[in-house]
Amino acid sequence: MTVERIVSETKDQFPIGMRVLAVDDDPTCLLLLETLLRRCQYHVTTTSQAITALKMLRENKNKFDLVISDVHMPDMDGFKLLELVGLEMDLPVIMLSANGDTKLVMKGITHGACDYLLKPVRIEELKNIWQHVVRRKKFDRKDRNNSDSQDKPHAESGEAAGIRNADNNVKVNKKRKDQNEDEDEDRDEDGHDNDDSSTQKKPRVVWSVELHRKFVAAVNQLGIDKAVPKKILELMNVEKLTRENVASHLQKFRLYLKRISCVANQQANMAAALGTADSSYLRMGSLNGLGNFHSLAGPDQFHNAAFRSFPPSGVLGRLNTPAGLGIRGLPSTGTIPLGHVQNSGHSSNDLNKLQSFVPGNHNANILQGMPLSLELDQLQNNKGVSHIGELPAANSTSVFPVPGSLVDARITGFSNNPILGVTSNSLMLEGSSQQSALHASNLRDGVSAIGFQNGNTLSDFASIDPVSNQLRDSKSDLQGQAASMNRNAGQIMTSVPQEWNASIPTNGAMIQLDQCLDQHNSIFHRTMDSDSIGSMSFVDPLSIKAHNSAMEPSVIDKEGYLMYQSRPQGNHIPDNVGSLEDLASAMMKQDQDNGKPAYGNFGHNSYSHRTCI
Amino acid sequence: MLGLAADRLRADTNRLLAFLFHQGILDEQFLQLQQLEDETSPNFVSEVVNIYFHESEKLLRNLRSLLMDKEFSDYNKMGIHLNQFMGSSSSIGAKRIRNVCVAFRAASEQNNRAGCLRALELLEHEYCFLKNKLHELFQIQQQRALAAAVRYPMQN
């Protein structure tokens, strides 16, 4: 194992000297990435072509510890490269992209990426990537131990992953994890030498195309259900291949298969969601999606027990109080620590369960900037709720240092939005979607001033000139939209308790704001700078107003709308774009009505705050 | 006299940078670039920025030719160029440009050709502005280097 070799040779120096292969077709980013990596004292090799990268890796897979690759490359899809590297070389791969779209990130996860970074990459994030190397080594070892002692349970758990019952999954995964931990402790007790020697005894196998083909043939012959490593090994009849090698490769292969079927299911789910709010359909689709997704989560990718992504109520709950916590984490669209995400449970979506879960997460850090996306799967028990925000939990590292006041502000934010979070499109909390909303509206308004305010973060987002006539025009549209959304939402929201309803807009709005703010703060852990903090206070009166006003539904619609901006529901978008100005003007009116000069000072700038929201 | 020139140049640099940051044209990513510049890579910023300019011009040309095409329908292809432009712009710290790219992307996702065209124009405008300003910055820095060299002549 290369890492062990490094460790033994330069024990104190790892992660210094870690060998990284960087792949990106964009020369600007490649040069920047290379320089940043060198600054972290890694040993860097770069190439702008995925094909070259594969060649280098295949030549000598022990030459590198980690691969960082861009998602969009002309000669080969980044995900494909990711898959191949994972299957053939079992190296950790980090994906890199300018696009932090949830679907893409999800794709990264399902293809086995151990992390997904957003451009611009910051050096702080790169300083930590060595953890993926260590983690993978540890889990590889654990997997082998696991497969040593539990051949059948291993196979069963692989199957269990496909089982629709989420509870089982949680138990199985937990059990495996516990066993892993136990075994790991035993090993540790034996002493470090033993660890080294035992891992040294298992040289990494290169799964060449030929070898993989034999493997697949053997698996097909046995039948995927009955394929156990021992039998596969016998069928393959390759020297020097151990049962452990086969076992771990089998696991990856299963993930690959599940992912393929999962993708198909998810597409069906998406189609279903877009088409109708029919709960039974969703439930049906969701079972598959969930089950598959579970299986996708191998232990080496998800290890955080705190993560609960699925139960819709859970998500909503999370959006609520811990939403405060979560939201803190959410804003940054920087690193999305996939390693921290654990696919544990599509557990039964009892609200109670969630309730108990939620408080538990108070200390946990939960949301680390993963865009909130609504999954259909989670709807199993909750009729009609078509989406669930999926919030990957961070591990025990604390949530970002967002001042408590900000959190409070967020929670007090928006009132019930029965519509928010409900329609079929996922809740895109990425900054880009917010921005796109804002910018789209800018374009519509013909305003060209983008970010022409002061250096305030919020001002980055399109100053929208008060185009009042457009506001009026779009107002009726907005109402119409609200009505239709209401209709759709009505059924969906009935089963969700009121407090959950309240939480969604809070989450959404806050996250949007955070997203806006954090566009400026690309560092994940960075405390909000004074500008952002200052601007946050602007939000409060706004949100409180939203809470109070009769304009509420439209305000919230706007919020909801903003979140769905990037969804393919083209028909909504153009109409709603105007609604930003609508909101702005409504807010202004209210300000004046209430006699609150909150925005008085800002004049032109005030629109920019609003647009962020 | 030379000392004054150096001071003035430094003031000019600071003023220009302050302006660019204040206007939201650049963000702290640019600062990161500057921090990466040291003795081992003395011209890192100008190197990266020049590569960025070179690539960006290609991308902008591609985008324009795509949009100008009467039978344009391949929003995907446009999205790819756009994505690259967005990635490199944000890596440089070109905040305003990146924001316009986001809007552009939104318009593109809606298959809104008119919106895309508007965004492209805005993009070209912002890009030209940034390029001018950064050229100015590099010029000042060059002058500073010269001024410093004159003050402290290099011993061969």
Side-chain angles (χ1 to χ4, degrees):
Chain A
M1 289 289 192
T2 52
V3 169
E4 277 72 14
R5 180 158 52 81
I6 290 174
V7 167
S8 50
E9 284 171 358
T10 58
K11 222 168 172 185
D12 300 327
Q13 289 189 25
F14 185 81
I16 290 176
M18 183 174 83
R19 293 149 318 158
V20 182
L21 175 62
V23 190
D24 192 338
D25 64 316
D26 179 0
T28 316
C29 297
L30 192 59
L31 177 57
L32 179 63
L33 186 61
E34 180 184 356
T35 313
L36 285 171
L37 288 168
R38 281 197 213 279
R39 191 52 65 93
C40 297
Q41 296 180 287
Y42 301 141
H43 185 264
V44 189
T45 313
T46 62
T47 171
S48 61
Q49 298 195 313
I51 298 178
T52 316
L54 259 182
K55 203 156 58 102
M56 282 197 262
L57 286 165
R58 279 173 180 156
E59 249 170 48
N60 180 2
K61 72 185 296 219
N62 287 335
K63 221 167 132 197
F64 301 103
D65 298 310
L66 178 74
V67 179
I68 299 185
S69 165
D70 188 38
V71 165
H72 303 280
M73 289 190 287
D75 59 339
M76 186 193 292
D77 184 27
F79 294 118
K80 185 101 181 38
L81 175 66
L82 162 60
E83 210 173 84
L84 288 172
V85 172
L87 268 176
E88 290 182 32
M89 288 128 224
D90 191 26
L91 284 176
V93 181
I94 295 180
M95 303 307 294
L96 195 57
S97 176
N99 189 344
D101 193 53
T102 312
K103 294 191 215 63
L104 274 184
V105 178
M106 180 63 75
K107 206 171 169 194
I109 299 178
T110 56
H111 282 73
C114 59
D115 207 343
Y116 192 109
L117 301 180
L118 290 188
K119 292 185 185 173
V121 184
R122 295 182 313 269
I123 197 166
E124 293 80 5
E125 293 168 348
L126 292 178
K127 285 210 170 111
N128 283 332
I129 55 176
W130 58 268
Q131 62 180 282
H132 301 293
V133 177
V134 174
R135 188 180 297 124
R136 186 168 279 240
K137 296 292 168 287
K138 276 194 107 170
F139 277 112
D140 272 355
R141 205 161 13 97
K142 282 183 191 171
D143 279 345
R144 293 202 184 101
N145 291 342
N146 217 9
S147 36
D148 267 340
S149 47
Q150 321 153 21
D151 198 330
K152 273 192 185 153
H154 182 91
E156 279 171 12
S157 60
E159 296 310 314
I163 293 178
R164 310 314 179 227
N165 190 338
D167 280 336
N168 266 358
N169 266 344
V170 177
K171 287 178 198 146
V172 166
N173 284 347
K174 262 196 102 174
K175 198 168 125 195
R176 221 156 31 130
K177 186 176 173 239
D178 289 341
Q179 281 158 345
N180 282 343
E181 284 169 354
D182 288 343
E183 287 171 11
D184 200 33
E185 281 167 10
D186 288 343
R187 294 184 127 270
D188 286 342
E189 283 167 8
D190 288 344
H192 196 61
D193 291 342
N194 279 357
D195 284 351
D196 280 348
S197 58
S198 63
T199 48
Q200 278 167 9
K201 281 181 197 154
K202 298 170 192 164
R204 194 181 267 173
V205 170
V206 177
W207 281 89
S208 66
V209 174
E210 178 65 36
L211 206 56
H212 184 66
R213 202 150 34 90
K214 279 194 185 157
F215 170 83
V216 175
V219 168
N220 287 338
Q221 198 175 334
L222 290 167
I224 185 67
D225 292 342
K226 290 222 175 75
V228 281
K230 222 187 326 190
K231 292 196 184 146
I232 298 175
L233 188 63
E234 284 165 22
L235 276 176
M236 282 175 72
N237 195 18
V238 170
E239 279 182 12
K240 291 196 188 161
L241 194 65
T242 67
R243 207 192 53 77
E244 294 82 24
N245 299 135
V246 175
S248 64
H249 195 74
L250 176 65
Q251 190 184 28
K252 286 197 204 92
F253 188 64
R254 283 215 180 91
L255 292 184
Y256 169 73
L257 292 179
K258 293 287 192 296
R259 177 181 51 74
I260 294 179
S261 63
C262 175
V263 167
N265 279 335
Q266 279 184 349
Q267 284 170 355
N269 287 349
M270 283 299 199
L274 288 172
T276 164
D278 185 293
S279 56
S280 58
Y281 187 108
L282 291 170
R283 228 175 295 143
M284 179 179 73
S286 69
L287 288 178
N288 281 341
L290 254 194
N292 290 338
F293 187 63
H294 263 301
S295 64
L296 286 175
D300 58 339
Q301 285 162 11
F302 308 111
H303 67 91
N304 186 353
F307 174 56
R308 302 279 182 271
S309 68
F310 313 117
S313 42
V315 169
L316 297 182
R318 251 177 298 144
L319 292 181
N320 200 354
T321 319
L325 293 170
I327 293 174
R328 267 188 255 157
L330 269 175
S332 32
T333 51
T335 309
I336 298 178
L338 298 183
H340 298 302
V341 168
Q342 182 184 25
N343 185 3
S344 55
H346 296 335
S347 38
S348 45
N349 320 335
D350 291 331
L351 290 183
N352 295 336
K353 203 163 176 175
L354 256 185
Q355 295 280 3
S356 55
F357 165 74
V358 158
N361 268 331
H362 259 288
N363 299 329
N365 56 27
I366 324 180
L367 310 163
Q368 263 197 2
M370 178 88 171
L372 197 65
S373 68
L374 302 178
E375 293 282 341
L376 297 176
D377 335 24
Q378 281 98 33
L379 305 184
Q380 280 172 320
N381 297 344
N382 293 341
K383 294 180 173 189
V385 180
S386 54
H387 291 280
I388 297 170
E390 176 173 300
L391 305 169
N395 59 13
S396 54
T397 53
S398 59
V399 178
F400 301 107
V402 170
S405 59
L406 290 177
V407 175
D408 294 339
R410 291 178 208 168
I411 294 176
T412 58
F414 298 79
S415 61
N416 295 341
N417 179 5
I419 299 170
L420 191 59
V422 171
T423 25
S424 46
N425 292 330
S426 49
L427 201 57
M428 294 298 201
L429 295 174
E430 316 149 59
S432 57
S433 56
Q434 325 296 316
Q435 282 179 322
S436 58
L438 299 167
H439 292 289
S441 62
N442 278 346
L443 289 179
R444 270 174 68 94
D445 301 337
V447 175
S448 65
I450 291 184
F452 206 79
Q453 311 287 321
N454 49 27
N456 190 328
T457 313
L458 285 178
S459 69
D460 292 345
F461 295 84
S463 58
I464 295 183
D465 288 333
V467 183
S468 48
N469 41 349
Q470 271 187 337
L471 293 179
R472 263 153 239 144
D473 289 344
S474 47
K475 195 166 184 172
S476 52
D477 288 338
L478 180 63
Q479 308 280 355
Q481 285 297 326
S484 63
M485 281 166 106
N486 261 321
R487 255 178 282 117
N488 288 341
Q491 179 199 355
I492 293 173
M493 296 310 283
T494 43
S495 58
V496 181
Q498 278 308 300
E499 57 266 22
W500 303 97
N501 288 347
S503 65
I504 307 172
T506 300
N507 186 27
M510 287 310 173
I511 290 169
Q512 287 175 335
L513 179 62
D514 292 341
Q515 294 284 341
C516 294
L517 292 173
D518 270 349
Q519 283 305 315
H520 196 71
N521 292 336
S522 49
I523 292 179
F524 207 54
H525 296 270
R526 196 180 301 169
T527 323
M528 297 255 196
D529 60 24
S530 55
D531 277 350
S532 314
I533 292 174
S535 48
M536 277 297 267
S537 60
F538 301 145
V539 179
D540 291 348
L542 244 186
S543 50
I544 293 171
K545 282 195 186 42
H547 194 87
N548 299 334
S549 71
M551 283 290 299
E552 183 179 293
S554 55
V555 167
I556 295 176
D557 288 348
K558 189 155 307 181
E559 307 312 322
Y561 171 69
L562 279 176
M563 285 193 262
Y564 302 128
Q565 187 63 31
S566 54
R567 282 183 302 161
Q569 277 186 348
N571 50 344
H572 287 296
I573 296 171
D575 294 331
N576 281 345
V577 169
S579 65
L580 271 173
E581 291 76 28
D582 198 4
L583 171 59
S585 73
M587 282 305 155
M588 283 295 269
K589 279 199 198 120
Q590 250 195 324
D591 281 343
Q592 286 152 16
D593 290 345
N594 296 343
K596 286 187 191 169
Y599 305 100
N601 315 344
F602 303 100
H604 190 67
N605 286 351
S606 63
Y607 285 101
S608 63
H609 308 315
R610 306 253 176 73
T611 61
C612 284
I613 295 173
Chain B
M1 188 59 196
L2 290 172
L4 284 174
D7 286 341
R8 185 171 49 80
L9 289 173
R10 188 173 49 236
D12 284 347
T13 307
N14 291 340
R15 195 167 34 81
L16 181 54
L17 280 174
F19 168 76
L20 291 173
F21 283 110
H22 187 260
Q23 292 296 315
I25 294 168
L26 289 178
D27 65 15
E28 65 222 1
Q29 182 65 21
F30 190 76
L31 286 177
Q32 284 235 340
L33 284 187
Q34 290 183 313
Q35 281 165 16
L36 285 174
E37 200 166 74
D38 60 9
E39 312 80 39
T40 57
S41 48
N43 298 317
F44 176 67
V45 179
S46 58
E47 225 178 283
V48 175
V49 170
N50 284 327
I51 294 177
Y52 168 71
F53 285 153
H54 184 72
E55 289 298 308
S56 301
E57 271 150 39
K58 264 198 290 186
L59 287 169
L60 284 172
R61 273 200 299 271
N62 288 345
L63 285 170
R64 184 151 278 277
S65 66
L66 272 176
L67 273 173
M68 290 313 224
D69 183 4
K70 290 212 177 94
E71 286 114 26
F72 167 67
S73 60
D74 194 351
Y75 285 93
N76 267 341
K77 191 158 178 205
M78 195 165 71
I80 294 176
H81 289 308
L82 191 55
N83 193 51
Q84 181 173 341
F85 193 38
M86 197 157 97
S88 53
S89 302
S90 56
S91 299
I92 292 289
K95 185 159 77 166
R96 274 223 296 235
I97 289 182
R98 194 197 64 199
N99 291 345
V100 179
C101 285
V102 172
F104 195 148
R105 183 164 72 182
S108 162
E109 280 166 5
Q110 299 160 30
N111 288 4
N112 176 1
R113 188 167 166 186
C116 287
L117 264 172
R118 273 196 298 248
L120 177 62
E121 274 157 21
L122 192 53
L123 208 54
E124 286 165 343
H125 169 78
E126 289 291 339
Y127 171 76
C128 285
F129 187 73
L130 178 69
K131 186 169 174 181
N132 286 339
K133 289 297 170 204
L134 286 179
H135 272 321
E136 198 181 315
L137 186 69
F138 295 146
Q139 267 176 353
I140 299 175
Q141 285 177 344
Q142 264 180 347
Q143 286 171 10
R144 277 172 81 181
L146 282 175
V150 170
R151 244 162 102 184
Y152 304 103
M154 307 262 234
Q155 313 279 330
N156 285 340

